[in-house]
Each structure stands twice: as structure tokens, then as C-alpha cells.
Amino acid sequence: MTQLERLAIADIVKIVPTRHGDDRGYFSEIFRDAWFREHVADVAFVQDNQSLSVEKGTLRGLHFQTAPFTQGKLVHCIRGAIFDVAVDIRKGSPTFGQWAGAELTGGNGVQLWIPAGFAHGFLTLDPATIVQYKVTAPYSAQHDRGLLWNDPEINIAWPVEEGNVVLSQKDRTQPPLAKLLTSFVFSPHMERT
């Protein structure tokens, strides 16, 4: 039976699908639409994305998309390991500017649900890490935004020395939370289902 746990920010859900294993390996049902809609969020996924990060210490994020292309993400690590993080960027939220995170590995099968209204990023803990995630809206370059990964106001406890982080130029120059222009507004109906 799939297990789920709401993290420090209740809208962020850690999902652990059951694995049935023997000497050949394992079998796991990693997604079922009806179960997800009933227990996590009543959303439809429209696109699957996959990334390969060659170097340990690669940080991708913190990213989000604006309306009408806001994205919820269901993230899992196929190979290697990541520290996966979501930051609440919903104005008026009691957890605005706070973060929640979990370690996702190819071995543990853990998934993380991150709804719209959160900036998302991950740090690779192993070389040659592959991450796959489902999204609730397609990618739109015009609506793509970000948040500075090491903003001291957010103070994410990334498990790496800052000098050892591999970043894109885009992620080096994202705005801090204090200068973030966001249209996400918290409302109680956005909370857990």
C-alpha cells in the first residue's frame, strides 16, 4: 500500500509507493490517477519531464511558472539521489517564504508532490542522477520564473558547500524572495484535499 506523509508545509506531500521485491528485483506501481486524485490532489497531469545531471552538486532551481501555465509537480528520482525542495511563494500564506524538502533516490522510490504556488528545485547528491516529474501544465518559456536558490531570507539547508554547487547562469541570477514578483495568493481552498 502506498504511504503518504504531509511535510512541514502540509500542501507538500511525500509519497512512498509500495515495492514488491524478490531476487530478480522489484515491481512498483508508481502512479495511479484515481488514487492520486483521492488522496493527494484532484489534478490532471499533461506532461512528463526528465533531466540528467552529470555532476554531483548540480542544483536546478528554484523554478515556477506563472498563470495561465502554473504547474503542480510530482517528482521522483530514477537513478542517483537528490535533495528536493519546495518554497511557498503564495502571498498571505501562513508558511510564505518557508521551505520543505525530502531526499529522493532511485533506491527509496520516494516521490514529492509540489502544487502550484511553490518554487521548486533540487540538488543532486550523486553523479549521473536522473529525475523525472509529471506536471499539470506544459512548459512555457514566457511564463518561466525563478527564485534565488541561496536566499538567506529562506535559508534552505542545502546539503552542500556553496562553492561546490554547479549552477546554470539563469539560476545564479534569479531574484531573492524580497524582490520576487508573484501573482500566487494563498486561499484556504488551496490547502490539502
Side-chain angles (χ1 to χ4, degrees), residues 86-141:
V87 178
D88 189 346
I89 57 171
R90 301 169 298 173
K91 292 177 184 173
S93 168
T95 55
F96 178 79
Q98 295 179 28
W99 65 275
E103 186 171 313
L104 283 56
T105 73
N108 69 18
V110 171
Q111 301 173 11
L112 203 62
W113 163 245
I114 302 161
F118 289 80
H120 169 251
F122 62 85
L123 172 77
T124 60
L125 306 175
D126 289 335
T129 290
I130 298 176
V131 175
Q132 187 161 325
Y133 52 99
K134 300 173 119 18
V135 292
T136 59
Y139 174 73
S140 171

Side-chain angles (χ1 to χ4, degrees), residues 3-182:
Q3 300 174 6
L4 62 86
E5 170 190 350
R6 296 195 181 270
L7 299 187
I9 301 172
D11 297 324
I12 308 302
V13 183
K14 180 177 166 182
I15 302 165
V16 186
T18 300
R19 287 185 172 183
H20 306 280
D22 59 26
D23 58 353
R24 298 168 299 163
Y26 70 83
F27 171 83
S28 182
E29 181 180 284
I30 62 170
F31 179 78
R32 182 182 292 204
D33 184 70
W35 183 92
F36 191 88
R37 286 175 185 267
E38 180 181 348
H39 297 284
V40 182
D42 188 10
V43 297
F45 294 102
V46 300
Q47 180 175 311
D48 281 14
N49 300 325
Q50 189 175 94
S51 70
L52 165 66
S53 298
V54 176
E55 294 185 53
K56 176 181 178 179
T58 298
L59 197 145
R60 296 178 185 265
L62 302 159
H63 303 146
F64 63 96
Q65 288 190 173
T66 59
F69 292 96
T70 60
Q71 290 181 325
K73 297 179 181 179
L74 180 60
V75 184
H76 74 278
C77 184
I78 295 173
R79 182 175 73 195
I82 63 171
F83 183 63
D84 202 35
V85 171
V87 178
D88 189 346
I89 57 171
R90 301 169 298 173
K91 292 177 184 173
S93 168
T95 55
F96 178 79
Q98 295 179 28
W99 65 275
E103 186 171 313
L104 283 56
T105 73
N108 69 18
V110 171
Q111 301 173 11
L112 203 62
W113 163 245
I114 302 161
F118 289 80
H120 169 251
F122 62 85
L123 172 77
T124 60
L125 306 175
D126 289 335
T129 290
I130 298 176
V131 175
Q132 187 161 325
Y133 52 99
K134 300 173 119 18
V135 292
T136 59
Y139 174 73
S140 171
Q142 180 182 356
H143 299 86
D144 186 29
R145 302 289 187 274
L147 177 63
L148 187 62
W149 71 278
N150 62 348
D151 183 347
E153 184 178 346
I154 302 168
N155 198 28
I156 297 171
W158 296 108
V160 68
E161 295 292 323
E162 192 164 327
N164 295 330
V165 174
V166 179
L167 288 164
S168 68
Q169 185 56 37
K170 170 185 160 184
D171 289 342
R172 291 178 194 279
T173 58
Q174 298 288 6
L177 186 64
K179 294 184 179 179
L180 187 67
L181 300 175
T182 178

